[in-house]
Amino acid sequence: MHVIAVTNQKGGVGKTTTALAIAAELALGGQRVLAVDLDPQGNLGMGLGVAEDDGASAYEVLSERSTLAEASRSVPAPGLERLKLVPAGPRLARAESELVGQIGFDELLKRALAAHGEADVAVLDCPPSLGALTINAVGAADLVVSPVQCEFFSARGVVKLVEIVELVRNRRNPDLRFLVVPTLYDKRNNICRAVLAELRRSFGHEVAQTTVGIDTRVRESQAKGLPVGLYAPRCRAAKSYRDLADEVRARLTREVRHAQAA
Ligand SMILES: Nc1ncnc2c1ncn2[C@@H]1O[C@H](COP(=O)(O)OP(=O)(O)OP(=O)(O)O)[C@@H](O)[C@H]1O
Ligand SMILES: [Mg+2]
């Protein structure tokens, strides 16, 4: 199974939107996808139109009370039969404080994913912080996708993300891939363009070719509980996210070749 962690400690940069879109595109393309909501805000489940219930959720998985299969739900949207959701659940906010300090706390999700045979790819939506939940996600990932808003202050945040990716590469997973995704991009704005150019200079091929512009259809789709590619397949954001899903697929496939060659 491939594992994609969508993460950036900065809030409101498009993590959940990107996780939703990638999960939906991969499922529409025929893969069995497990989307895991690791943000106590529960936006991923909302964006997929799954109502909150009291069943097992990401919290029960991380506290080893449930398997991922037991915690997963079907998604109501037509065409997304191959997508399953593990919701955040009402108790996930406790996990941050409960997990830290336990031996091996940072590998709980990795182990749960390794034991789950029912998906080809997992997409993990992280909270806007670098706590226990995000560390679990990055530690389990083959590919870290970081949506970055092209604003002046974002560049520093990317440096922090790169440091974390480097740490994980050095200590645990030398093959970890990293993909920065410019989101909420406004090509008419000089600062946006300058920040994107700087990102490409600094991080080269680790910045996606695809940029995702501001598109009101994105907000509408989330209010309807549908990924944007299903709500308005012809809008600009839907097209960008299809292109991004192709880039993600290419990176995951290269990784397989890399692993086989080793
Ligand atoms: N391309 C886009 N065009 C217009 N609005 C967008 C776009 N991408 C995201 N948004 C909106 O911006 C807001 C933040 O997006 P999102 O929830 O995906 O970010 P996030 O990084 O997951 O936030 P948080 O850190 O709170 O989890 C949402 O209201 C979302 O609908
Ligand atoms: Mg979010």
Side-chain angles (χ1 to χ4, degrees):
M1 191 205 297
H2 289 299
V3 180
I4 303 168
V6 184
T7 184
N8 185 335
Q9 70 276 21
K10 199 162 187 310
V13 295
K15 291 182 288 296
T16 303
T17 302
T18 301
L20 276 168
I22 291 175
E25 286 307 321
L26 295 181
L28 290 170
Q31 290 189 281
R32 296 171 304 164
V33 180
L34 185 71
V36 185
D37 193 347
L38 291 174
D39 184 351
Q41 296 177 97
N43 293 344
L44 191 72
M46 291 175 204
L48 287 168
V50 176
E52 198 170 279
D53 59 38
D54 208 37
S57 61
Y59 174 73
E60 280 69 27
V61 172
L62 288 166
S63 50
E64 298 182 294
R65 293 178 171 95
S66 298
T67 63
L68 284 165
E70 287 163 352
S72 64
R73 316 278 194 285
S74 296
V75 165
L80 292 185
E81 293 76 19
R82 291 191 190 83
L83 177 60
K84 296 277 182 289
L85 168 78
V86 174
R91 294 166 290 275
L92 187 61
R94 292 185 207 161
E96 289 283 0
S97 57
E98 285 180 12
L99 292 180
V100 177
Q102 287 179 23
I103 291 172
F105 82 90
D106 55 336
E107 293 200 329
L108 288 163
L109 187 61
K110 190 182 171 84
R111 275 197 276 143
L113 288 163
H116 185 75
E118 295 166 28
D120 304 310
V121 56
V123 179
L124 317 174
D125 185 28
C126 295
S129 63
L130 291 174
L133 294 164
T134 297
I135 291 171
N136 258 276
V138 174
D142 307 298
L143 171 66
V144 170
V145 170
S146 290
V148 169
Q149 201 173 345
C150 290
E151 282 182 346
F152 181 64
F153 288 122
S154 304
R156 274 196 209 157
V158 181
V159 171
K160 184 85 196 153
L161 286 166
V162 171
E163 277 171 19
I164 290 163
V165 167
E166 283 298 330
L167 261 184
V168 176
R169 278 177 179 153
N170 290 337
R171 293 185 180 170
R172 199 178 280 172
N173 176 10
D175 289 332
L176 181 63
R177 304 286 154 127
F178 182 48
L179 186 65
V180 170
V181 179
T183 50
L184 297 158
Y185 183 66
D186 177 2
K187 63 175 183 247
R188 289 164 306 182
N189 180 310
N190 289 340
I191 298 208
C192 260
R193 287 207 310 273
V195 171
L196 178 61
E198 184 55 37
L199 283 174
R200 292 205 192 282
R201 247 194 314 278
S202 304
F203 305 110
H205 76 283
E206 292 189 315
V207 180
Q209 290 304 311
T210 309
T211 56
V212 184
I214 296 169
D215 187 333
T216 52
R217 296 291 200 171
V218 169
R219 281 172 208 266
E220 289 171 19
S221 68
Q222 286 164 357
K224 296 275 188 224
L226 286 172
V228 68
L230 282 176
Y231 172 73
R234 293 150 81 95
C235 76
R236 276 176 300 127
K239 159 123 189 22
S240 298
Y241 276 121
R242 282 193 293 275
D243 292 344
L244 182 69
D246 287 341
E247 288 196 58
V248 165
R249 278 189 202 98
R251 283 184 194 240
L252 291 175
T253 324
R254 269 208 298 281
E255 183 184 82
V256 171
R257 284 200 205 106
H258 180 79
Q260 282 169 348

